[in-house]
């Protein structure tokens, strides 16, 4: 089966074309083209946009805007985005990172989508032509969305407040057993005043560990004080089973790796 490729200079025109049945948006192509190569016949036409604004990175004060076509490699190269570099480098190998985009990662199904886990922990907003929405709202409705993502925005975290961990069986570019991102605010004495913890592979899309977040409030990051948060981390999860790991295994090792992340 052949695939037609249509190119547009504006997101508006591409959005209109994307409403036709059988069309799919083409960003970096790491997900769409693989699906086609594996026999997905539901797509007959690919839509892409050449608007240069989609590939721009804007950093102003503590606010970051990443165009949907910004690649993981581009993020990893920017010194001011050093806090996000571990999450960007967690996406595949060098060839994949040169193609994989911010927008595409938002649609990646588990066990992929490690960068989206980081964005969820950072309370990012997702922009389309219709406006902006919280990333949690976007992720919940992404399966039925036909609007092209244009950018994501978030407040730039301080290096000491943001942590990311990907666990895989093959280093450095293996598929995730799980991924965890944590954005923590602390007082001078080290007590946690706010926490956002996002998990990958613990559901069919990135999710927050809200019970663990609540249990961390007021705690210092010591083995004794974080113990209740680690116990609460498994509340509400529904890990996947795939050739990489079983749901049972993912649930068992989650508290272990969350503990390591928090104590690092």
């Amino acid at each position: 089966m052949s695939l037609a490729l249509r190119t547009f200079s504006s997101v508006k025109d591409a959005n209109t074309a994307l409403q036709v049945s059988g069309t799919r948006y083409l960003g970096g192509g790491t997900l769409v083209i693989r699906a086609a190569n594996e026999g997905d016949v539901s797509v007959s036409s690919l839509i892409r946009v050449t608007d240069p604004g989609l590939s721009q990175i804007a950093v102003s004060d503590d606010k970051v805007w990443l165009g949907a076509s910004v690649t993981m490699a581009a993020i990893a190269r920017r010194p001011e985005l050093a806090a996000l570099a571990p999450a960007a480098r967690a996406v595949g190998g060098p060839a994949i990172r040169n193609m994989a985009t911010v927008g595409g990662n938002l649609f990646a199904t588990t066990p992929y989508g490690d960068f989206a886990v980081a964005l969820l922990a950072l309370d990012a907003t997702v922009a389309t032509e219709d406006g902006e929405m919280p990333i949690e709202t976007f992720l919940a409705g992404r399966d039925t969305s036909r609007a092209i993502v244009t950018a994501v925005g978030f407040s730039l975290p301080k290096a000491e407040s943001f942590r990311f961990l990907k666990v895989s069986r093959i280093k450095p570019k293996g598929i995730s057993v799980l991924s965890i991102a944590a954005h923590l605010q602390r007082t001078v004495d080290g007590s946690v005043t706010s926490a956002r913890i996002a998990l990958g592979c613990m559901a069919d899309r990135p999710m927050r560990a809200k019970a663990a977040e609540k249990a961390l409030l007021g705690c210092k990051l010591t083995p004794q004080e974080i113990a209740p948060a680690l116990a609460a981390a498994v509340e509400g999860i529904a890990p996947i089973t795939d050739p990489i790991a079983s749901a049972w295994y993912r649930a068992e090792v989650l508290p272990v790796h969350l503990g390591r992340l928090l104590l690092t």
Side-chain angles (χ1 to χ4, degrees):
M1 180 179 176
S2 62
L3 283 173
L5 176 61
R6 302 177 64 190
T7 301
F8 297 88
S9 60
S10 74
V11 173
K12 181 178 181 180
D13 291 339
N15 263 325
T16 300
L18 197 60
Q19 306 312 307
V20 177
S21 177
T23 58
R24 185 90 177 266
Y25 185 75
L26 177 65
T30 59
L31 300 175
V32 176
I33 300 303
R34 184 181 64 187
N37 288 338
E38 291 176 350
D40 183 357
V41 296
S42 66
V43 180
S44 58
S45 180
L46 298 176
I47 305 295
R48 73 185 186 109
V49 180
T50 57
D51 182 350
L54 295 177
S55 298
Q56 291 183 352
I57 298 175
V59 182
S60 178
D61 296 326
D62 66 342
K63 186 67 176 178
V64 178
W65 279 98
L66 302 176
S69 295
V70 170
T71 65
M72 299 297 113
I75 294 168
R77 287 195 298 265
R78 292 290 289 259
E80 62 267 56
L81 300 179
L84 283 173
R89 294 193 183 104
V91 179
I96 294 295
R97 289 195 293 273
N98 280 327
M99 295 167 35
T101 63
V102 171
N105 205 261
L106 291 172
F107 289 91
T109 56
T110 300
Y112 306 103
D114 298 305
F115 195 76
V117 174
L119 292 175
L120 178 57
L122 292 173
D123 196 18
T125 58
V126 179
T128 68
E129 268 203 318
D130 299 327
E132 298 175 28
M133 70 184 79
I135 187 171
E136 285 178 84
T137 303
F138 173 82
L139 290 173
R142 72 179 184 183
D143 295 343
T144 57
S145 174
R146 299 292 290 176
I148 295 173
V149 172
T150 57
V152 296
F154 53 89
S155 295
L156 186 63
K158 295 180 180 179
E160 66 272 15
S161 69
F162 181 72
R163 305 166 186 210
F164 178 85
L165 172 69
K166 173 180 174 176
V167 180
S168 61
R169 297 187 184 279
I170 301 175
K171 307 293 184 183
K173 59 181 181 177
I175 296 172
S176 290
V177 172
L178 59 86
S179 54
I180 311 171
H183 189 206
L184 309 174
Q185 302 292 339
R186 293 188 287 168
T187 61
V188 176
D189 72 351
S191 299
V192 176
T193 57
S194 70
R196 282 181 67 95
I197 300 173
L199 309 174
C201 295
M202 294 298 136
D204 65 343
R205 65 202 68 202
M207 63 170 289
R208 282 176 60 193
K210 293 185 178 181
E213 293 172 355
K214 184 177 180 180
L216 275 178
L217 297 180
C219 295
K220 295 181 180 179
L221 301 184
T222 66
Q224 295 75 24
E225 294 199 36
I226 69 171
L230 303 187
V234 298
E235 291 187 22
I237 65 171
I240 65 164
T241 290
D242 63 8
I244 303 300
S246 67
W248 173 85
Y249 179 79
R250 285 184 161 104
E252 285 292 305
V253 300
L254 170 59
V256 175
H257 289 293
L258 177 57
R260 291 174 180 172
L261 183 68
L262 294 176
L263 294 174
T264 299

